[in-house]
Amino acid sequence: MALAPSPATQAIPVGFTVVLIGFFVLVTRRRALSQLVGFLLMDNGITTVGFLTTASVSLVVELGVSLDVLLAVLVLRILTARIQETFGDADLDELAELHD
């Protein structure tokens, strides 16, 4: 099936490239945070391809956006856990004292 030539269809290879780069980062990195970044790259590439190939927002794309929100919450939770592990507390007044 041939797609009509437009700027959106010409950008589809960029979306596939983002998916492949995300997969490469996911497979080659050892740390959990960098693997999470690779997974986010893959998810965003899939969402980009979905937006570019469909005329309207489909259910798959909406589920991908929901997954992005879930992963953003997960990343924030990991970062706050690391701050609590390193500094003992996430109180902003106590963290401001570290600056001084």
Side-chain angles (χ1 to χ4, degrees):
M1 180 174 158
L3 297 174
S6 69
T9 58
Q10 293 175 352
I12 291 173
V14 174
F16 282 120
T17 304
V18 171
V19 171
L20 293 175
I21 290 172
F23 183 71
F24 178 73
V25 169
L26 184 66
V27 171
T28 59
R29 301 298 180 198
R30 295 280 183 209
R31 294 181 181 238
L33 193 58
S34 59
Q35 287 180 345
L36 191 61
V37 168
F39 185 75
L40 283 172
L41 275 170
M42 280 181 54
D43 184 47
N44 287 333
I46 292 168
T47 304
T48 301
V49 171
F51 273 129
L52 293 174
T53 57
T54 59
S56 63
V57 178
S58 65
L59 178 65
V60 174
V61 175
E62 290 179 10
L63 290 174
V65 170
S66 299
L67 184 63
D68 280 342
V69 171
L70 177 68
L71 289 174
V73 169
L74 183 65
V75 167
L76 289 175
R77 177 63 188 131
I78 290 171
L79 291 177
T80 56
R82 289 228 173 168
I83 288 173
Q84 287 177 349
E85 178 184 310
T86 303
F87 299 114
D89 196 10
D91 188 20
L92 291 178
D93 293 331
E94 293 180 18
L95 291 176
E97 292 177 7
L98 294 174
H99 186 305
D100 298 334

